[in-house]
Structure formats: C-alpha cells, structure tokens
Amino acid sequence: MSEVVWSARDCTPDKIETALRDLLHTRYEEHQGYVPARVLNMVAIVDREWKGEIQNRLEGVGRYHASRTILVAVEPGRTTLDAWCSLHSDVDLVGPGQLALTHEDIEVDIGPKHVANLATIVDPLLVRDLITIVWSPHGHDDAVDVLLGLADVALLDSVEDLDVAAALERVAELAARAYVVDLAWLRSTPWRERIAANFDPPYLRPALGQLSGVTVRHRSDSTAAALMLVGWLASRLNWQPHALTHRNGAREGKLRGRRGEVNVRLEGSDLSVPGLAGVTIDTAHGDEFSLDRGPGGLTAYRRTRDGKEHRWTVLGASRGERGILGEGVRQALLRDPTYRPALEAARTMLS
Amino acid sequence: MATVTEENPLTEGLERLPVHPTTLVIFGATGDLARRKLLPALYNLAHEGSLPERFNLIGVSRSEKSDDDYRAEMRNAIEQFSRTRPSPEVLDALLENVRYVPGTFDDPAVYDALRKQIEEFDAQADIVFNRVFYLSTAPEFFPVIVEALGEAKLNRHKDAEVRVVIEKPFGYDLESARKLNRRVLRVFRERQVFRIDHYLGKETVQNVLAFRFANSMFEPVWNRNYIDYVQITAAEDLGIGSRASYYDKAGALRDLVQNHMLQLLALLAMEPPTAFNADQVRNEKVKVMHAIRPPTPEEVPKLAVRAQYGAGAIAGEPVKGYLEEDGVPPDSFTETYAALRLTVNNWRWAGVPIYLRTGKRLPRKLTEIAVTLKPVPHLAFHEGGSLGVQPNELILTVQPDEGVSLTLGAKIPGARMRIRPVNMEFRYGTAFLSQSPEAYERLILDAMRGEALLFTRDDEVDALWSIIDPILAAWKEAGGPIPQYPAGSQGPEEAEALLEPGHHWRKL
C-alpha cells in the first residue's frame, strides 16, 4: 500500500480542494504510473461517533471502492471544519512502466450548523462529470436532502428503519428525486434470479399465470425486504396489491392475480443476517417451489401435483454484508427498472 | 409488459439471465485446457451464481479413474487456477453433480456410458437437461467425437437443446477446415455448433465494437479519407515453452493470425450491423473477410514476412533460439514471427494498408490495434519549430493495460508555437469497478445459453482460411531456412520491407 496524506484543522472547502490538487500533482511527479480512478464519487454522511465503523465497512468493499470518497462526519457542538485527505494505491511503484490505480479519501468533520449548507462544502470536493452517490447510514435525512441536487444516486438500506411504513415512504420520496440503490433489494437479487430461472423453461412459464400463494420467510427486522420481493412479483405479474394484515405474528393478505387470488404470507424467521430466509411459491394446480438458504447456495425444493419431490442446490457464494455494500456501489452505475414498481406495490401492501 | 405465457416477465432488470438446466460434457476433461481454464471458469460461474439453476458436469477422458478421483483432480485444478478463492461450500456443491466416463474417443461404449449418465441426470431431476458437448481435445479427435455423438444419437433430442463447442484450431488449412466443417455439419446443424476463438470472449475485444458503434465521433473519420494505415500487433515475450510438438506444426500464422488477429481486423473494419445479434454481426465480419483478396503465390513475398527467433535476451536473461528449444527439429523452418500487409477492398477501406504482426520472444507482451490518421494537410506554424507534429494515432490496447489512447498535437508551453504529441488515455481499470470475467467464463455461459455472437460461424472459418491458405502454401513451397531475429529484439529487419513509404512499425 502506498499513500500520501494531508490534514488541517479549521479549514475551508477551498483549502481542501487545493490540497487535493497538490496531492495529485505530487503523486504524479513521484511516479507517472499512479493513475487516478475515475468512476464515481461517494459521499457518506455519518455520526462522528461511529465514523470508524463506517470506514471499516467502506474498506471492506475492495475493488468497488469509489474513486473519491467524501466521508462527512457530523459532530454535535462542532463549529469548524477539520479535514483529512489521502491518496492511496494498493502497490508502491518503483520502476518504470508500472501502473497503480489511486483512490482518494476525504474526511470532513462538520457541526450540525453546517448541514443546511452542506452542498457548498461537498460540491467543490467532487470530481466533476462522475456519477455521485450519497449514503447516509446513520439517518441525517436533512443532509441527504440538501445533497440530492449534487447526487445522481441515493444508496440506502430500507430494512434499517424498524418502522417499515416510514422506511418505504422515505425511499419513495428519494426515488422521486434520484435513482435509489437499496441494499435490501440487492440482498434479494439471488432470490429473484432463481425464482425467474425456475419459471424460465417455456413449459413452466404458463405457471406464472397460475400462482396461488407466496410465503416469504425473513429476519424479523427485514419485513421491508419481504414486502419488496412480493412487490416485485406483483408488479411483474400484474397482480393488484392490497393491504396485508397482521395475524399470528405474520402479515397476510390476498392479492388479485389475473386468474384468481394469490395468498401472501410474510413470516419472521431466526436469521443471523438481514434479509430473506426462504420463499415458497404455490400454483393453483398443486405444484410447489421453494428456496431456502443452504450451504453453497440456495436449497431449492419442488413438489409436483403428482407428489414427486426434488431437492437440489442452486450454486452461488454468499456475498456477505461487505459484498452487499460493494454491490450497492457498483449498482450506482447501472439502472434496474423493476425496483420502483416493486416499491410501489410494497407500499400499497402496507397501506 | 408481455403476457406471462409468451415471455418470462421476471427476467426484466436482472443482470444474470436464466440459463436452462444443462449437462455439460467435457471431452479431454483431464487435459491442460480443462484444468487451467474450463474447470476454474465453471467454478467462478458457480461462485457468482451464473451457472444454470441445475447443472451437471461429465468429464470424458482416456485415463481410467473413478468419479471421486476425477472430483479430487477437479478440486485441485480449481484451487490452483481459479481467479477467485474457492468457497468450500460452493465447490462441494458443484462437485456433487460431477461424473467421469473413461475411455477412448472412438469407442462406442464411451458414448453408451455417456448417454446412460446423461439420462440418469434427467431421470433424477425429472426434467430434460440441455446437453453441451465441449471438445477440449487434440484437433484430430474433433471429427471422431462428433461422428461418434451422431452414431450414438446424442446429437439431437426432441425436448432439449444439444450444442457442441469446438476448440481451436478449427482445421490446419483451408482444405482441412472445409473437410472438418462438412463432417461436423453432417451431424449437427450450424446453429448447434459453437467454434471457440477465446479472443472474442475478451472484454477488450468486444469493446472494439462498443468503441466504434457507440460513439459518433469516430465514424466520420473511420475510412480511407482520414486513415493512413492500421497496424495490429500481437507480441509475446515468451518462447514456445513446452508446446514444441504443437507449435512446430502450427507456426505463428496459424496460431495467431488466422484466428485472433483476423478477428480483430474484422471487428475494426466491419460495417455497423443493423442489430447486435449473432447473425448480423457475423454477416458483417464475413463481408470484411471476403473483401480481403488472398495474395497470389507471386505476391506472397511482397506481402508476408516470416522469421524465427534466434538466441538473445529477455528481461536481461539470455534465452535460447527457436531451433535450440526442446522438441524442435534442428532443421525446422516453422515461423515464430509473421507480418502481413493486407488491404480490405471495399468503399470504406480501399488503399489503406493494414499491417499485422505477431511474434514470440519479442520485447514485451502486447496486443493492440493502432490506427494512424493522415497528417494535417497544411501546417501553418511550421516555421515556429513544429517538428514534433505527428499524425494522430488511436491505440486500442487489448492486453495488458487494456484501454484506449489518442495522440494529439499540443502546444509546448512557452512563447513559441512549438508542438509535440501528447496522449489522451483511457484505461479500463480506472473507469470500471467490475473485474472482467475470464474469456472462458463468458464463452461457456454463452454456449449454454445458445448465444453464438462470440463464436465463429462456418462461412467465417472458411473466409479466414481463404486469406491465410495461399501464404501457407507459398511458404511451404519456398521451404527454408527462414530469416532470424534475436530474441528480445523488435523482430526481423525484413518486416520493414512490407511498409509503405512514411509508415513505420510501432516500437514494442
């Protein structure tokens, strides 16, 4: 690892920007092979107290590290800006003809009084013409709101707020103003892929019009993820969503499909990580397909109407929570048109 | 949105599209290619969740061994060569559905055993898996295996797609390629045949198309009016290693020019396809091949140069010459270097020389396409000492340091109007977060999906060999000895004679 750093107390965005430019210049003079990454900016707004934890999470994303990361730490009572900048590469270049990708990390400690004008602090620090992603894992909705004018993408995790309705309401509000990358949605990607794959053979596609039941098992704090999965099915298969009701510790309800009602049930489950534990899909003809977490991938199970049963492993390594955050950063460069319809359907099921 | 019975509406927005449950059969399952490339590629696809929802693998090879022995070998190969560190759980789950069938490729009993195993997988799962037969063997076994598959009626199935993947080299010359094509197409339909050129699976090779057809700024200058010449280089610093038995029969022209380099040329020179699908893209590539007039025997010495590396030094270390390499006959005149001058005789490219060169034991490993534009017609500030003005060059680097660079003339700071070339560079690593998958990962997945865009069609193979065949024939006729170049040098001096006045080989 090779790194050059700069820091200052009681500084201004202009000084930080000048220091960054000087660091880049120095770095280039040191060795012309230090090439700055130019993919995306990431702005993370965090509580000063928990800054270290977020730094660790960001370090864990590996190759998905943003080209320039601006970590804004909000500290109660602070009235001045302190800043620290680092240009770092995985390798130390010595000889000619070598290349090393350089990433830039900036940390700015601010006080609550700075939040209202945070855009004027962050704007000069962004690399121009790159996609900018904003992430605010400790709340600070007010800071996100003022930065949305600068940002293209809002990164969030809709399962972080225990008030599911409020969480999805906030997501919808953000989605109207920026592209949203939701980590809860990304955790469900393998599930969505495998459900889609199960019904992909042409002879099984008609069954998509005959689904009669969907049961989603989820960690108790991941109701939003379960709702989004059902919302995805509803929006893709033209089911009319309705509000679900609480019954026996689960949420239940009936959605109107093209050829009849679809029973939906969301059940809490013991799971050590956020997200989904399993899903079971039934058809009106008595077929059942389910997926559950298992070693080496998802364990799939199919029971056909004549009683035949099959169980197999759908291969795939777990990304882990670090991998999910990295995937969130990567997804900032892509667009998934199915998220917002799924979100709207999920919100209707909560109404 | 489509009706659910017509399309699968659940695939919208997914990056990884579903692949039908597949049983993959690898012939030559214990060989070097399988161990180093195919098995690690399969593991990486499994790791990322990209393999079909249900997947079985059957290895076929001569050596007698049990399923468990083969699984152990496969585990070892994956642990040694995978680009991602294997997860024990995923690897265990992948190996569960691996079987091994021993035997020689001409033995009907092998195909009986194979069918039994394939059907057993179908029965266990109560579905019919698609079948993909991957021929990763020495080329002489390609027709043997294909015909045996036909004899065993494994070439078609009423409820499943059956595909065959054939490794390179596809033929040894035009005649043998045509013969092989005939034998393959007697058993399989063209849409079932996937001829591999792994270069086409490289992200940077595919990017040639993106670069040309997703940017409007290049199209206006992409023709004979603005382009002076094109140079395609595939240089290696390595020698032949332990591949003498293959390489001495093949030579540089067959090994790299006939396939990889002509494919690069086709991508560079083709017209925009009307749609980005296999047939449209390949139609356009074939048109380019047909526009290259094969040289007559008399023209060959003026258009093609061959040479062998002699002793020299690479990275400061002395290295042997080709004729001293283990396994190479001392009187061999197989070329380790080949350079050609071709022209694409169509409206867009008429008169633009396209230079190709490839060689072993050159100073560095480098594959690139260099497009040199014509010089500016009038230099108003020549008086100011603008000797540094050079024609613009657009360089597409395929490997290593994948990227694109453009040389521009820029003013040197100071009172006088002095110009020197500067580089505007784009490097893949700086602009994307994702790691490029190995070419074989993409190609295996495409073959399982039936996506043929990155595979070579029968008429394409024919067109490629048609260009190369007269050169091979002329060189064979001329015999040897052939020119030498010192290992570590820029190549033989004779290659300079191919260049038109004012043109030069780019320094490696």
Side-chain angles (χ1 to χ4, degrees):
Chain A
M1 166 113 171
S2 156
E3 186 178 32
V4 286
V5 296
W6 170 92
S7 65
R9 290 186 176 279
D10 194 8
C11 63
T12 62
D14 183 49
K15 277 188 187 165
I16 304 170
E17 198 268 336
T18 305
L20 264 174
R21 206 173 325 116
D22 289 347
L23 284 180
L24 280 164
H25 189 73
T26 309
R27 194 74 166 154
Y28 187 76
E29 280 188 335
E30 203 178 295
H31 195 297
Q32 293 185 2
Y34 288 116
V35 185
R38 288 295 176 253
V39 186
L40 60 80
N41 298 299
M42 180 176 209
V43 185
I45 305 118
V46 301
D47 289 341
R48 173 72 179 79
E49 193 183 354
W50 302 106
K51 185 165 86 168
E53 184 224 332
I54 298 301
Q55 283 168 327
N56 286 340
R57 285 182 69 183
L58 287 172
E59 274 173 26
V61 303
R63 67 172 181 267
Y64 297 127
H65 200 98
S67 316
R68 181 172 287 183
T69 305
I70 303 166
L71 190 68
V72 180
V74 185
E75 186 176 12
R78 171 176 282 279
T79 56
T80 56
L81 300 183
D82 288 354
W84 175 91
C85 303
S86 153
L87 265 57
H88 55 93
S89 308
D90 286 343
V91 288
D92 206 352
L93 297 182
V94 282
Q98 295 175 302
L99 281 178
L101 206 54
T102 301
H103 292 88
E104 297 139 30
D105 287 349
I106 305 166
E107 292 176 22
V108 190
D109 292 344
I110 66 167
K113 72 161 195 160
H114 297 113
V115 169
N117 293 311
L118 187 57
T120 61
I121 296 171
V122 170
D123 195 358
L125 306 182
L126 298 174
V127 182
R128 295 180 67 205
D129 301 323
L130 295 189
I131 284 180
T132 297
I133 181 168
V134 173
W135 181 43
S136 182
H138 300 146
H140 298 292
D141 289 353
D142 46 351
V144 173
D145 287 337
V146 299
L147 290 180
L148 279 185
L150 300 176
D152 307 278
V153 179
L155 176 70
L156 52 84
D157 192 345
S158 59
V159 302
E160 276 182 348
D161 191 336
L162 291 179
D163 181 344
V164 185
L168 296 190
E169 188 64 36
R170 173 66 178 160
V171 178
E173 198 182 303
L174 290 173
R177 299 170 63 193
Y179 180 71
V180 166
V181 173
D182 184 348
L183 299 182
W185 178 251
L186 300 183
R187 284 188 205 97
S188 76
T189 302
W191 302 84
R192 286 181 282 119
E193 285 174 347
R194 295 316 178 178
I195 293 169
N198 181 67
F199 293 101
D200 197 58
Y203 63 91
L204 284 175
R205 278 180 212 169
L208 284 172
Q210 295 149 6
L211 302 189
S212 60
V214 178
T215 301
V216 183
R217 298 171 284 284
H218 60 89
R219 195 165 90 163
S220 53
D221 62 0
S222 296
T223 307
L227 279 166
M228 297 284 286
L229 183 72
V230 178
W232 169 70
L233 283 169
S235 60
R236 300 309 308 156
L237 300 175
N238 281 337
W239 299 344
Q240 198 174 341
H242 294 290
L244 304 183
T245 54
H246 280 279
R247 191 174 300 162
N248 302 326
R251 286 174 194 259
E252 290 182 344
K254 291 179 191 297
L255 309 192
R256 191 184 304 279
R258 284 184 177 186
R259 297 182 190 170
E261 289 184 326
V262 182
N263 295 307
V264 171
R265 182 177 165 83
L266 313 183
E267 301 174 347
S269 165
D270 287 335
L271 192 65
S272 58
V273 290
L276 306 176
V279 58
T280 300
I281 296 174
D282 300 289
T283 74
H285 296 304
D287 295 325
E288 180 189 319
F289 170 67
S290 69
L291 288 169
D292 286 278
R293 283 173 184 266
L298 298 176
T299 302
Y301 167 81
R302 182 185 294 140
R303 184 174 47 75
T304 52
R305 68 196 76 165
D306 55 7
K308 284 186 190 166
E309 293 182 315
H310 296 280
R311 200 178 292 277
W312 68 96
T313 300
V314 184
L315 300 170
S318 167
R319 289 196 180 103
E321 277 304 295
R322 286 180 164 194
I324 291 292
L325 181 59
E327 180 63 10
V329 177
R330 190 179 78 88
Q331 287 288 330
L333 303 172
L334 304 170
R335 293 295 177 265
D336 181 350
T338 63
Y339 175 73
R340 280 188 72 177
L343 173 67
E344 289 313 314
R347 288 176 68 210
T348 308
M349 284 186 275
L350 274 176
S351 59
Chain B
M1 192 192 320
T3 24
V4 291
T5 49
E6 289 168 357
E7 285 179 18
N8 180 354
L10 301 183
T11 57
E12 174 78 17
L14 296 178
E15 270 191 84
R16 284 184 286 266
L17 295 173
V19 186
H20 190 86
T22 300
T23 295
L24 174 68
V25 180
I26 300 180
F27 288 90
T30 56
D32 213 35
L33 179 69
R35 287 180 60 250
R36 286 174 179 272
K37 295 289 182 188
L38 304 184
L39 300 178
L42 287 171
Y43 173 76
N44 284 313
L45 290 171
H47 187 97
E48 287 167 8
S50 298
L51 274 185
E53 186 202 350
R54 308 186 75 170
F55 176 77
N56 311 305
L57 174 67
I58 305 172
V60 183
S61 203
R62 267 178 300 187
S63 42
E64 198 66 43
K65 64 185 77 183
S66 67
D67 290 343
D68 282 342
D69 289 343
Y70 184 62
R71 287 189 196 110
E73 276 182 26
M74 188 171 160
R75 180 187 295 276
N76 190 23
I78 289 167
E79 285 171 350
Q80 200 178 345
F81 298 113
S82 169
R83 72 180 167 89
T84 50
R85 186 185 301 168
S87 142
E89 291 84 8
V90 177
L91 187 48
D92 286 347
L94 174 67
L95 294 174
E96 257 178 46
N97 291 330
V98 172
R99 303 287 186 275
Y100 182 77
V101 174
T104 54
F105 301 135
D106 58 352
D107 180 0
V110 167
Y111 299 86
D112 287 342
L114 194 54
R115 186 196 304 92
K116 200 173 149 198
Q117 185 56 64
I118 290 171
E119 288 173 356
E120 196 178 307
F121 278 134
D122 288 352
Q124 277 169 4
D126 200 21
I127 56 171
V128 182
F129 287 84
N130 282 350
R131 289 96 154 102
V132 175
F133 299 105
Y134 197 118
L135 276 49
S136 168
T137 64
E140 59 264 32
F141 295 117
F142 296 163
V144 175
I145 296 168
V146 164
E147 284 165 1
L149 287 169
E151 289 289 315
K153 307 230 175 324
L154 284 166
N155 55 330
R156 302 218 202 309
H157 192 288
K158 67 181 174 62
D159 297 321
E161 295 287 343
V162 182
R163 301 183 180 112
V164 62
V165 181
I166 304 179
E167 263 296 334
K168 76 159 200 166
F170 197 91
Y172 185 73
D173 54 19
L174 179 61
E175 191 190 332
S176 64
R178 281 180 174 165
K179 195 171 165 189
L180 177 57
N181 250 338
R182 279 196 298 273
R183 291 176 76 176
V184 169
L185 294 176
R186 269 202 289 265
V187 177
F188 290 96
R189 296 189 183 99
E190 175 58 30
R191 65 174 176 78
Q192 295 178 280
V193 183
F194 293 72
R195 299 171 192 82
I196 285 242
D197 180 343
H198 72 268
Y199 243 52
L200 292 176
K202 287 180 182 288
E203 290 283 332
T204 38
V205 172
Q206 294 164 50
N207 192 47
V208 175
L209 290 178
F211 183 77
R212 284 194 57 203
F213 302 132
N215 299 291
S216 59
M217 66 184 289
F218 297 111
E219 179 57 23
V221 299
W222 212 255
N223 56 54
R224 64 193 170 86
N225 296 326
Y226 292 92
I227 292 177
D228 195 9
Y229 63 103
V230 175
Q231 203 173 119
I232 302 176
T233 300
E236 291 180 71
D237 53 350
L238 296 175
I240 55 161
S242 57
R243 297 169 67 218
S245 61
Y246 159 75
Y247 197 87
D248 197 60
K249 285 182 200 146
L253 200 62
R254 287 189 182 93
D255 191 43
L256 276 170
V257 179
Q258 181 272 337
N259 35 59
H260 306 332
M261 298 187 75
L262 287 180
Q263 287 285 358
L264 286 178
L265 190 162
L267 296 175
L268 177 100
M270 67 189 261
E271 293 300 314
T274 50
F276 194 65
N277 63 43
D279 272 335
Q280 296 291 343
V281 171
R282 295 189 296 182
N283 285 346
E284 296 303 335
K285 281 163 61 184
V286 169
K287 284 184 202 167
V288 173
M289 300 301 170
H290 287 159
I292 300 172
R293 188 175 59 77
T296 62
E298 297 72 37
E299 287 172 328
V300 168
K302 287 179 239 158
L303 301 177
V305 164
R306 59 178 171 153
Q308 271 176 353
Y309 61 83
I314 294 280
E317 297 292 326
V319 294
K320 290 189 272 194
Y322 179 69
L323 297 178
E324 290 87 51
E325 297 276 16
D326 292 342
V328 173
D331 57 350
S332 168
F333 50 87
T334 298
E335 78 285 358
T336 63
Y337 177 100
L340 312 180
R341 185 177 75 229
L342 300 174
T343 47
V344 178
N345 298 303
N346 61 19
W347 195 280
R348 187 189 285 267
W349 293 104
V352 178
I354 298 182
Y355 303 110
L356 276 62
R357 68 174 161 169
T358 181
K360 291 197 171 290
R361 288 288 190 221
L362 294 172
R364 66 166 74 199
K365 182 180 172 67
L366 173 76
T367 304
E368 67 170 26
I369 300 170
V371 178
T372 305
L373 273 67
K374 290 184 173 169
V376 290
H378 171 66
L379 204 54
F381 32 78
H382 189 264
E383 292 290 313
S386 299
L387 296 178
V389 174
Q390 302 289 330
N392 299 123
E393 267 189 320
L394 182 69
I395 317 294
L396 295 116
T397 309
V398 174
Q399 63 180 8
D401 298 335
E402 298 90 340
V404 180
S405 71
L406 178 64
T407 63
L408 303 165
K411 181 182 174 298
I412 300 169
R416 297 174 66 194
M417 183 56 96
R418 292 178 303 170
I419 311 292
R420 79 164 175 84
V422 293
N423 277 1
M424 196 163 78
E425 295 205 38
F426 149 74
R427 289 188 192 274
Y428 256 77
T430 67
F432 293 97
L433 293 168
S434 311
Q435 199 180 18
S436 294
E438 277 281 311
Y440 275 102
E441 292 169 31
R442 170 72 193 265
L443 294 172
I444 291 171
L445 200 58
D446 276 5
M448 288 195 284
R449 291 175 56 209
E451 173 54 67
L453 192 142
L454 300 178
F455 296 85
T456 316
R457 206 168 56 187
D458 56 346
D459 54 344
E460 214 175 339
V461 171
D462 200 280
L464 292 165
W465 277 117
S466 297
I467 298 164
I468 293 304
D469 219 40
I471 304 170
L472 287 170
W475 284 355
K476 189 176 175 188
E477 177 71 24
I482 66 174
Q484 301 265 313
Y485 60 99
S489 72
Q490 296 283 320
E493 285 173 9
E494 287 80 353
E496 298 295 322
L498 294 179
L499 300 172
E500 291 187 357
H503 297 175
H504 67 277
W505 290 113
R506 279 171 53 79
K507 197 166 181 309
L508 292 168

